[in-house]
Structure formats: C-alpha cells, structure tokens
C-alpha cells in the first residue's frame, strides 16, 4: 500500500519556488539541522546515510544522492521543505530526488515512500556508503528502504570488536553481519523474510564478501524457534544482535510482541552466548526504555546463573538526544 496525502504535494524545485500554503493555525516546532561540522565529519569517514534534520513531526534522512522525508503531518512536512534549498547550499549538497513517507498512527497503514520531487524515471534501487561499507536500498521495497541508520554507532563498535562468531537475529538486510564479516567473523543471520536475507547476501557481495563461504549462514525462520535449536547443537557466539521489531507474526501465525517477549528472547540468547560474549539489546518501541532492556537482561542473567555488565551505546551526532532506537550492550561473564 502506498500513502497518498489528502493534499498531493506539488513538485518542489531545488531552487527557489512556490510552496503549498500553510494554514495560519498550523504550527510546528523548530526543525533542527545537523551542523556543517557534523556533515563534514560524516563525509570524511565515507558515511552518506545519516540524519539531516529532525523536528517534532518529521525527520529527514540523507541516503546518498536521495533524501527521505518521514512526517506525521503535512505542516511538519512543509516546515522542513521550506528550509531545504538554503540548508543544502550550506552543505554544498544537491539531492537528486526527495521521497516522502507518511508516519501513520497504525502499523497496518504503513506504505512505501513516494517520490515527491526529482527524476521519476530513475531506478528505485540505489546504494549508500557507511564508514567504508556499502549497503543496497530499495525505495519500492516497503516501509523501510533497507538500512536502519540509527544503528550506525553499534555497527562501528561491533566491527571494532572483531568477533569470531556473530549471531544476528531479526537480521533484516544483514548490515550487522556485513561489518562482522568484514572484521573476519563467521556469521549466522536469522530472519523470517527470505527476501530480506537475499538482500543481505547481496550486501555481502557489495562488500567483496562471498555469502556462500567463510562460515556464513542465512536462515529464514522464526528466531524464537531457531535459538533453542542452536543451543541443542551447542553452538556458541561471542557477539549476538537482538534488535527485534515491535510486532511480527511467523509462518504459523504466532505473534511476537516486543514488550511481552523481550525477556524470553534475552534468556534464549544467553543459552548460546559464549563467555565474554557481547549482546546488543535494542528496541524501537515508544513505551520501552533502556532501563527496561537492562531489567530484562538482569532477570535472564539471574535465571541462567551468569553475570554481566552493561556498556552504553555511543550517541550519534546527527540524532537529537532521545531519538532513534534504545540500545545498550550486555557483556556476559
């Protein structure tokens, strides 16, 4: 399903041009743009997938030569578009296309981004760089284009740790698996979607990695079913990624709900965690906090008779405090 705004946006030129009129009563908060210094630092490290602006009703992401504007209301959308030409000039950046994605109240109403402005004849598949790694994006592929940019610092930390064996649950397009493999790790990527895992294999190939060798496995199955099987085979991992969706349903129709099932997920992960393993605990649910993740981990550690300590995730300079996924690393003793 694609979202079509009640008032279709006019084609928005990158140079000065007309903007749709806003009601005098429609007030939105200020838009916060990243500084030129942050832009330059991201450019220097080869990162072209990042936040560009944030506001109370929207956020804007740079994805290579394209922009993706996520918004709750039309006034929120227009607030950032009104400043776009001037801000992009400061960065010496000229986007080729602007995509818009409405943020509905209900997940069932989510749709793929729609082109607001730019070349309508170009491919909806593209590629972006992040600190030397390459990832494929598909603007027609669904609600997400293929890369969660708020996990950038956690991907960098994982790569710096150089794990030997990574278990990437709810792997999506396997970005964590890519950086671990680039650091020399064997990887196991698990996701319900075969299509997402196929995109993950393509991400391996984009980075000069052979997904069919080097100890890499891609498993299209339910994470909660796979974890006990790995434990029975006595497989151990020194890095585990737990970044589940808020809600999903497996092939048999059983539902995963992050608030209800996160404790169980952590407990199952501990059964395959090697001594000294580092586990990323991450959620993107408005009702859950980092304290909830740590509480779930403490309960699971106590049940397993193991110890552990927490390492906070590094803040991202392009994200305002409190925005993005809630994450913390657990080091298992």
């Amino acid at each position: 399903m694609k979202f079509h705004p009640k008032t279709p946006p006019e084609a928005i030129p990158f140079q000065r041009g007309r903007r749709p009129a806003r009601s005098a009563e429609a007030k939105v908060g200020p838009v916060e743009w990243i500084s030129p210094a942050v832009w330059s630092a991201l450019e220097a490290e080869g990162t072209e997938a990042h936040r560009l602006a944030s506001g109370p009703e929207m956020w804007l992401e740079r994805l290579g030569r394209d922009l993706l504007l996520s918004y709750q209301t039309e006034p929120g959308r227009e607030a950032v578009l009104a400043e776009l030409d001037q801000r992009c000039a400061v960065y010496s950046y000229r986007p080729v296309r602007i995509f818009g994605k409405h943020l509905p109240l209900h997940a069932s109403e989510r749709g793929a981004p729609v082109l607001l402005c730019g070349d309508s004849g170009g491919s909806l598949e593209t590629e972006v760089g992040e600190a030397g790694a390459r990832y494929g994006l598909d603007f027609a592929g669904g609600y997400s284009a293929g890369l969660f940019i708020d996990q950038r610092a956690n991907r960098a930390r994982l790569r710096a740790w150089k794990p030997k064996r990574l278990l990437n649950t709810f792997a999506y397009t396997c970005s964590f698996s890519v950086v671990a493999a680039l650091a020399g790790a064997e990887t196991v990527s698990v996701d319900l979607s075969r299509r997402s895992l196929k995109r993950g294999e393509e991400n391996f190939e984009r980075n000069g990695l052979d997904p069919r060798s080097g100890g890499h496995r891609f498993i299209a199955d339910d994470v909660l079913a796979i974890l006990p099987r790995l434990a029975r085979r006595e497989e151990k991992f020194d890095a585990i990624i737990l970044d589940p969706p808020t809600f999903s349903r497996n092939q048999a129709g059983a539902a995963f709900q992050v608030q209800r099932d996160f404790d169980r997920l952590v407990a199952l992960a501990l059964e395959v965690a090697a001594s000294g393993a580092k586990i990323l605990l991450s959620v993107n649910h408005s009702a859950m906090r980092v304290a909830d993740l740590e509480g779930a981990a403490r309960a699971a550690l106590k049940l397993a008779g193991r110890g552990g300590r927490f390492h906070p995730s590094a803040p991202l300079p392009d994200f305002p405090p409190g925005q993005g996924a809630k994450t913390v690393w657990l080091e298992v003793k």
Side-chain angles (χ1 to χ4, degrees), residues 36 56 67 70 73-74 87 127 133 139 149 173 180 185 189 194 200 227 294 308 331:
L67 295 178
S70 301
T73 66
E74 291 180 19
R87 295 290 181 168
E127 185 177 297
F139 288 105
I149 63 174
T173 58
S189 305
R194 290 187 182 277
L227 285 170
E294 294 180 355
E331 183 176 1

Side-chain angles (χ1 to χ4, degrees), residues 288-310:
M288 295 182 70
R289 305 163 300 160
V290 170
D292 298 317
L293 308 183
E294 294 180 355
R298 288 191 181 95
L301 288 168
K302 183 177 180 180
L303 186 65
R306 303 180 72 172
R309 60 177 178 172
F310 298 102

Side-chain angles (χ1 to χ4, degrees), residues 84-104:
L84 186 60
D85 296 340
Q86 177 184 1
R87 295 290 181 168
C88 285
V90 172
Y91 307 129
S92 299
Y93 169 72
R94 184 182 177 90
V96 173
R97 299 177 294 187
I98 303 174
F99 291 90
K101 181 172 70 175
H102 182 241
L103 303 171

Side-chain angles (χ1 to χ4, degrees), residues 28-157:
V28 296
V31 178
E32 181 179 343
W33 296 78
I34 66 171
S35 70
V38 169
W39 173 280
S40 297
L42 292 167
E43 284 283 282
E45 71 175 27
T47 292
E48 54 186 5
H50 55 81
R51 275 280 182 99
L52 195 60
S54 304
E57 296 182 359
M58 53 64 57
W59 63 81
L60 181 67
E61 298 170 355
R62 177 205 178 187
L63 299 171
R65 298 188 303 163
D66 298 311
L67 295 178
L68 176 60
L69 173 56
S70 301
Y71 60 94
Q72 295 174 341
T73 66
E74 291 180 19
R77 180 188 70 200
E78 299 311 315
V80 68
L81 292 176
E83 300 182 31
L84 186 60
D85 296 340
Q86 177 184 1
R87 295 290 181 168
C88 285
V90 172
Y91 307 129
S92 299
Y93 169 72
R94 184 182 177 90
V96 173
R97 299 177 294 187
I98 303 174
F99 291 90
K101 181 172 70 175
H102 182 241
L103 303 171
L105 292 175
H106 305 290
S108 61
E109 299 173 356
R110 291 178 173 179
V114 297
L115 182 66
L116 299 182
C117 173
D119 181 11
S120 61
S123 173
L124 294 178
E125 296 185 17
T126 186
E127 185 177 297
V128 295
E130 179 188 275
R134 306 295 299 177
Y135 302 103
L137 303 180
D138 184 0
F139 288 105
Y143 190 68
S144 174
L147 181 68
F148 297 128
I149 63 174
D150 56 355
Q151 296 287 5
R152 186 175 72 246
N154 289 320
R155 283 188 286 268
R157 175 173 282 187

Side-chain angles (χ1 to χ4, degrees), residues 168-180:
N168 187 7
T169 69
F170 306 97
Y172 189 37
T173 58
C174 307
S175 61
F176 279 104
S177 302
V178 166
V179 295

Side-chain angles (χ1 to χ4, degrees), residues 254-303:
F256 174 91
Q257 296 178 344
V258 68
Q259 280 187 287
R260 181 193 67 195
D261 296 321
F262 193 78
D263 292 20
R264 179 185 173 203
L265 177 64
V266 178
L268 290 172
L270 284 177
E271 295 182 9
V272 295
S275 178
K278 298 175 177 67
I279 304 177
L280 176 65
L281 310 175
S282 176
V283 296
N284 204 344
H285 190 286
S286 60
M288 295 182 70
R289 305 163 300 160
V290 170
D292 298 317
L293 308 183
E294 294 180 355
R298 288 191 181 95
L301 288 168
K302 183 177 180 180
L303 186 65

